[in-house]
Amino acid sequence: MIFVALMFVFGAWNLQQLAQLPSQTWLVSASFVVIAILITQMHSRFSSNSYTSQFFKNTLICGAAFLFGVCWAAGFANWRMSDELPHAWEQKTIAIEGVVASVPEATERGERFKFDVEKILTKGAVVPKHISLNQYRTSANGDNKYAEEDTADSNQFKAGERWLLSVRLKRPHGTVNPHGFDFESWALAENIRATGSIKTKAGIKKLDNFVWRPSYVVEHLRETVQKRITKVLAGKPYSGIIQALVMGDDSQIDVKDWQVFLRTGTSHLMSISGLHITMLAGLAFGFVSFFWRRSHQLVMQLPARKAATIAGVVVALTYSLIAGFSVPSQRTFYMFLVFAVALWSGRQLVIAQVLAMALLIVVLLDPWAVSSPGFWLSFGAVAMLAYALGGRVGQIHWFQSALKTQYAVTIGMLPLLLIMFGQASIVSPIANAFAIPLISFVVTPLALLGSFLPASVLTDMPLHLSYKALEVGMYALKWLNQLPMATWQQHEPAPWTLIPAMLGVLWLLLPRGFPMRWMGLLGFLPMLMLVPTPPTLGDMKVTVLDVGQGLSVVVQTAKHSLVYDSGPKYNEQSDAGSRIVVPFLHGEGIKKVDGFVVSHNDIDHSGGMASVLALMPVVWLDSSLPEDADIPSTQRKMHCFAGQRWVWDGVAFEILHPRAESYDDERIKDNDRSCVLKVTSQAGSVLLTGDIEKPDEIELIYLEADKLKSDVIVVPHHGSKTSSTLDFIAAVAPSVSIFTNGYLNRFGHPKPVVFERYQATQSLLYRSDFNGAIEMSFVSKRNIQIISWRNQYKRYWQDSFEPLN
């Protein structure tokens, strides 16, 4: 059973690694093979119990389980992928009827929620059944440059309401980068098949106050709980954490708090986890068992242990539903369910069987769970505990048991944490030693009690007490976070290094007294020691990151690294610096940024600067930012100007624009003062142009014509018609031209006329929205080696675009 479940999960995981789904012919053939194997085993002629026959039999069964996993996941994928928004209907106003299917999530500019489409009113339109909508609000002065021109009042929608809406939609499309988050995979797993905004001027109307359906009833209950917490804890900085602990919605947790949880290894506690569900279900089990045993009549009807088990399962299911049925809550609930069924049937099961059954059920119901880090961390933690603590003879002291538990989880999860996040908390054992009992036995029970009691001054007290206890825990966690060696940070290891590392973990977790346990540490050596190979002297690697509508480029030489621009600021909680640039630097094993050039003071170029400066050591900052820019006073900084030159490891860097005297003229726009940087290696050169416009290009041609010729150009101003004059393109004469723009951006970049100018030069063309990150290796005596991340590492859920060349 255990190996069958693992092979099924392995098959589902393999399906998620494919660039395209298997053909119908392949799936039908594989299904017949699975059926044939099952029939053969049911009528097996192998009467011998020899080792060979049993091995052959088990191999066939595991092979069938693997194929079944592939076919099962492919069937789900084909079904879900068939419900899509055609390209022809993107960004067009469509009238629809449907139901608000989730608790609206507050955003900086309004709110966001899932919407189930019931009826399409626009003739000929095709809209997926499940979409995500944004409702934007107007600022106090009626002007919000980030919102759509049509806006609505905030907090207008409630879970379970039926509405008639006019919307503009687009297909799920995210940035694609090395070591980055895959939004499109997440959207597919969440069954969000289109995203968009509401156009209130085109007409919206509430049709029903509530639609009775079990899922909407649950969401309505979650929304009621959310409003109570928000009201009672209004204005308190950690209220978002209480909300996450009660209902699993962590969207309101501050980014700085998330950094504390990540660095202290306590992020698993700050939303509904299996630990919390186990605690509550255990309390319910004990409470029912205690009172049930005291009633002779009840015991005669049903044994107390079975009654208590039912109560535990009901509580686990209820709390899991309030949590939105996340992977950790699913895993815990299914384990409870398996234990309950085993108890009622009188069967004895070991923990490995229970875990395998829960694993199988989760992936059967949600094949995309295997793409979630939480899936592997959740099941992995339980498996490590079962391995380390199971099969021991005799009782041990509770303190010794607690230490062993922390040791098993810390060592056991280390390989997965390094593979998935490139970091692990060193202070995690200490942090979890006090955070687990505090959160699980004090903060969470009080928060739950206060959330479900009728509103009054007295019944608000549990929420306030829960918050006070949380404040104490946060104070201690922040103190640990400030320790200089709180976190181990390294490059992203190669996937194959997980195998020796996990073997090392199993060796280290062997019983005390087992000879040479220390040799398990050797399994970690490949993961820790095999760092990415840097360029050799005179060569360089240039990565144009996909940051949406914005720009960020990383240049790596043999011993140095430079970041040019930091991408956009998406909202108050998120920017490209923290979401894309810094994860890329960490994944590449870059410990510090030797030079940071911020071309100019536009939010799509400097929006992530604060995060880069806060999260990475930066030797110096070169920019055209004004003197009053928000830069730490301790940061070494200077203005960029034409004539600045330096050489790193045989690679030459030179600023070509702006002129030093331009800083004396306040009339010059930020775009016109963009820092233009040329980087030249022995294998080729790159021209980074920021947002320069026509007058700046003319000036460059006049003053720096002999330096403009470059092999690669990052196209000025994302392909705006205010830039890229014919004379400038001719002076640069690029072999490769890269447009950095967001998918279906509101500016219409790149402009068709500009795109055609570069096409006419026979230059190889790349677009970040079509190609993802562009990785270029400049190696001597070779052509420039270019990797388009979206094309090279394609997955079946990603859109395919027509070739640009």
Side-chain angles (χ1 to χ4, degrees):
M1 171 62 195
I2 296 174
F3 282 107
V4 169
L6 291 176
M7 290 304 295
F8 173 82
V9 172
F10 185 51
W13 178 83
N14 269 273
L15 190 279
Q16 309 308 329
Q17 314 310 310
L18 298 181
Q20 60 183 16
L21 291 172
S23 66
Q24 296 295 326
T25 303
W26 191 95
L27 290 175
V28 170
S29 301
S31 300
F32 275 118
V33 171
V34 172
I35 294 170
I37 292 174
L38 292 177
I39 293 174
T40 301
Q41 296 309 309
M42 289 174 64
H43 301 85
S44 177
R45 296 179 181 176
F46 293 108
S47 58
S48 171
N49 290 323
S50 68
Y51 175 81
T52 304
S53 63
Q54 284 299 320
F55 176 79
F56 182 70
K57 192 174 183 178
N58 292 336
T59 302
L60 281 177
I61 293 174
C62 288
F66 174 82
L67 286 176
F68 181 49
V70 173
C71 294
W72 184 265
F76 267 74
N78 276 308
W79 166 63
R80 188 164 289 184
M81 295 282 289
S82 65
D83 186 30
E84 64 178 4
L85 178 72
H87 285 286
W89 283 99
E90 289 185 292
Q91 299 293 71
K92 293 185 178 179
T93 302
I94 304 172
I96 57 175
E97 284 184 14
V99 182
V100 178
S102 69
V103 179
E105 174 190 328
T107 65
E108 179 186 339
R109 295 172 271 158
E111 57 184 346
R112 176 172 54 241
F113 53 86
K114 294 179 181 179
F115 193 77
D116 289 345
V117 179
E118 297 178 319
K119 190 184 298 184
I120 304 168
L121 304 179
T122 300
K123 186 177 180 181
V126 177
V127 177
K129 293 181 177 63
H130 307 286
I131 62 178
S132 174
L133 293 175
N134 280 286
Q135 171 224 16
Y136 295 104
R137 62 172 177 265
T138 310
S139 59
N141 60 5
D143 179 25
N144 185 345
K145 67 178 181 178
Y146 300 110
E148 300 285 340
E149 63 213 35
D150 303 326
T151 57
D153 296 330
S154 183
N155 304 321
Q156 184 173 355
F157 299 93
K158 295 178 175 60
E161 293 177 338
R162 178 179 279 125
W163 283 82
L164 184 154
L165 303 173
S166 294
V167 299
R168 283 187 182 174
L169 303 172
K170 61 182 180 180
R171 298 160 69 93
H173 190 98
T175 58
V176 178
N177 294 283
H179 322 296
F181 173 69
D182 190 341
F183 168 78
E184 292 165 50
S185 172
W186 174 86
L188 181 65
E190 292 290 315
N191 201 12
I192 296 173
R193 304 302 297 132
T195 63
S197 58
I198 298 168
K199 313 296 290 183
T200 57
K201 287 185 179 180
I204 67 171
K205 181 182 179 181
K206 186 196 290 186
L207 302 177
D208 289 300
N209 287 326
F210 193 75
V211 176
W212 288 96
R213 186 183 298 175
S215 60
Y216 301 153
V217 172
V218 171
E219 290 302 316
H220 178 72
L221 175 62
R222 283 162 49 80
E223 186 172 24
T224 303
V225 170
Q226 180 200 55
K227 288 181 178 178
R228 173 156 170 73
I229 295 171
T230 303
K231 181 180 179 181
V232 174
L233 301 179
K236 295 185 181 294
Y238 304 136
S239 61
I241 301 175
I242 299 293
Q243 179 176 308
L245 291 170
V246 173
M247 54 178 293
D249 178 11
D250 57 15
S251 62
Q252 303 307 307
I253 297 180
D254 190 85
V255 171
K256 293 180 180 178
D257 292 334
W258 271 126
Q259 289 295 327
V260 172
F261 302 147
L262 288 171
R263 287 177 55 83
T264 57
T266 54
S267 55
H268 64 102
L269 292 173
M270 301 308 161
S271 59
I272 294 179
S273 68
L275 185 64
H276 304 146
I277 296 171
T278 302
M279 178 270 299
L280 280 179
L283 288 175
F285 182 96
F287 182 83
V288 171
S289 178
F290 177 82
F291 286 101
W292 198 277
R293 292 178 188 276
R294 277 147 184 78
S295 171
H296 179 73
Q297 186 176 359
L298 290 176
V299 171
M300 292 300 293
Q301 294 291 327
L302 185 67
R305 191 177 179 189
K306 290 187 176 182
T309 301
I310 294 174
V313 169
V314 170
V315 169
L317 176 60
T318 303
Y319 194 23
S320 298
L321 290 174
I322 294 172
F325 222 45
S326 61
V327 169
S329 60
Q330 287 181 48
R331 182 259 303 164
T332 306
F333 172 68
Y334 293 140
M335 287 179 68
F336 265 103
L337 194 60
V338 171
F339 272 124
V341 171
L343 177 66
W344 273 75
S345 65
R347 297 186 62 182
Q348 294 292 325
L349 294 176
V350 298
I351 185 62
Q353 292 173 315
V354 175
L355 197 60
M357 289 182 187
L359 189 76
L360 184 62
I361 294 171
V362 169
V363 180
L364 276 171
L365 297 177
D366 180 14
W368 292 280
V370 295
S371 298
S372 167
F375 172 85
W376 299 105
L377 293 173
S378 178
F379 279 100
V382 177
M384 285 297 108
L385 287 174
Y387 174 77
L389 304 179
R392 302 298 187 260
V393 178
Q395 296 292 325
I396 61 174
H397 192 271
W398 67 268
F399 184 72
Q400 186 180 354
S401 177
L403 289 178
K404 196 170 186 64
T405 298
Q406 281 296 320
Y407 171 73
V409 172
T410 301
I411 296 296
M413 292 296 96
L414 184 59
L416 284 175
L417 290 171
L418 292 179
I419 283 284
M420 293 175 178
F421 307 112
Q423 68 176 33
S425 175
I426 295 174
V427 299
S428 172
I430 301 173
N432 279 284
F434 68 81
I436 287 176
L438 179 66
I439 298 298
S440 297
F441 295 105
V442 180
V443 176
T444 302
L446 286 172
L448 282 167
L449 182 64
S451 299
F452 289 96
L453 287 174
S456 70
V457 175
L458 184 61
T459 56
D460 289 349
M461 188 60 64
L463 275 173
H464 289 296
L465 291 174
S466 173
Y467 188 85
K468 289 295 183 183
L470 178 63
E471 279 187 319
V472 173
M474 289 300 298
Y475 178 83
L477 290 177
K478 287 186 175 181
W479 182 84
L480 287 173
N481 178 56
Q482 292 173 355
L483 296 176
M485 288 295 292
T487 303
W488 171 267
Q489 187 82 51
Q490 66 158 65
H491 63 278
E492 183 177 297
W496 68 265
T497 62
L498 181 64
I499 296 174
M502 290 308 299
L503 291 175
V505 165
L506 296 179
W507 192 269
L508 287 169
L509 294 180
L510 286 169
R512 189 175 180 180
F514 199 89
M516 303 184 71
R517 281 199 306 163
W518 61 268
M519 290 188 65
L521 295 172
L522 299 177
F524 286 89
L525 290 181
M527 184 171 280
L528 300 175
M529 305 297 293
L530 296 180
V531 300
T533 305
T536 57
L537 286 175
D539 297 336
M540 65 178 177
K541 177 182 172 183
V542 179
T543 305
V544 181
L545 295 171
D546 177 12
V547 295
Q549 184 66 20
L551 177 63
S552 184
V553 181
V554 178
V555 181
Q556 296 169 257
T557 66
K559 297 180 180 178
H560 295 80
S561 61
L562 177 137
V563 175
Y564 180 91
D565 280 347
S566 56
K569 184 174 185 177
Y570 304 118
N571 52 57
E572 288 300 322
Q573 294 281 333
S574 175
D575 58 60
S578 60
R579 284 179 53 183
I580 297 173
V581 181
V582 172
F584 173 80
L585 296 173
H586 286 163
E588 292 292 299
I590 296 174
K591 302 295 185 182
K592 67 173 181 176
V593 176
D594 298 286
F596 187 13
V597 177
V598 178
S599 63
H600 63 297
N601 193 29
D602 264 4
I603 197 168
D604 58 333
H605 292 254
S606 61
M609 178 184 70
S611 292
V612 174
L613 293 174
L615 299 174
M616 290 290 296
V618 176
V619 177
W620 53 257
L621 171 68
D622 198 19
S623 75
S624 63
L625 300 178
E627 292 295 337
D628 60 353
D630 187 16
I631 301 172
S633 58
T634 56
Q635 179 62 55
R636 179 187 170 193
K637 58 184 178 180
M638 54 193 142
H639 274 146
C640 66
F641 58 88
Q644 289 176 327
R645 300 181 185 89
W646 66 97
V647 177
W648 284 340
D649 312 314
V651 178
F653 297 76
E654 182 173 4
I655 299 291
L656 304 183
H657 183 80
R659 316 307 297 176
E661 55 271 20
S662 68
Y663 292 99
D664 298 327
D665 189 348
E666 296 181 355
R667 296 171 300 174
I668 295 179
K669 297 187 302 180
D670 288 330
N671 283 1
D672 294 326
R673 203 177 277 129
S674 292
C675 308
V676 176
L677 174 65
K678 183 175 181 181
V679 188
T680 306
S681 74
Q682 58 189 3
S685 57
V686 177
L687 187 65
L688 307 176
T689 57
D691 277 354
I692 59 170
E693 299 187 351
K694 182 178 178 179
D696 312 304
E697 294 178 353
I698 294 173
E699 181 181 286
L700 278 166
I701 294 171
Y702 179 72
L703 297 174
E704 308 283 2
D706 58 328
K707 299 177 181 177
L708 288 178
K709 175 70 177 74
S710 303
D711 297 290
V712 178
I713 184 174
V714 176
V715 174
H717 205 171
H718 320 288
S720 167
K721 63 182 179 182
T722 61
S723 308
S724 296
T725 60
L726 289 172
D727 288 341
F728 181 75
I729 296 173
V732 178
S735 302
V736 179
S737 303
I738 301 173
F739 296 84
T740 57
N741 46 269
Y743 182 65
L744 296 179
N745 63 85
R746 61 193 179 98
F747 306 103
H749 294 159
K751 294 297 182 182
V753 62
V754 173
F755 194 80
E756 290 168 3
R757 289 175 193 167
Y758 285 93
Q759 270 186 322
T761 66
Q762 304 301 310
S763 175
L764 285 175
L765 304 181
Y766 292 90
R767 290 178 51 160
S768 59
D769 56 342
F770 287 5
N771 302 109
I774 309 299
E775 194 173 271
M776 296 171 285
S777 296
F778 292 76
V779 182
S780 58
K781 299 181 181 179
R782 298 186 193 174
N783 294 327
I784 303 172
Q785 300 170 345
I786 303 176
I787 293 177
S788 161
W789 206 256
R790 187 177 281 272
N791 297 342
Q792 185 77 11
Y793 300 95
K794 182 172 175 54
R795 295 293 183 264
Y796 69 83
W797 53 78
Q798 295 173 343
D799 268 334
S800 296
F801 299 96
E802 292 294 328
L804 300 177
N805 303 293

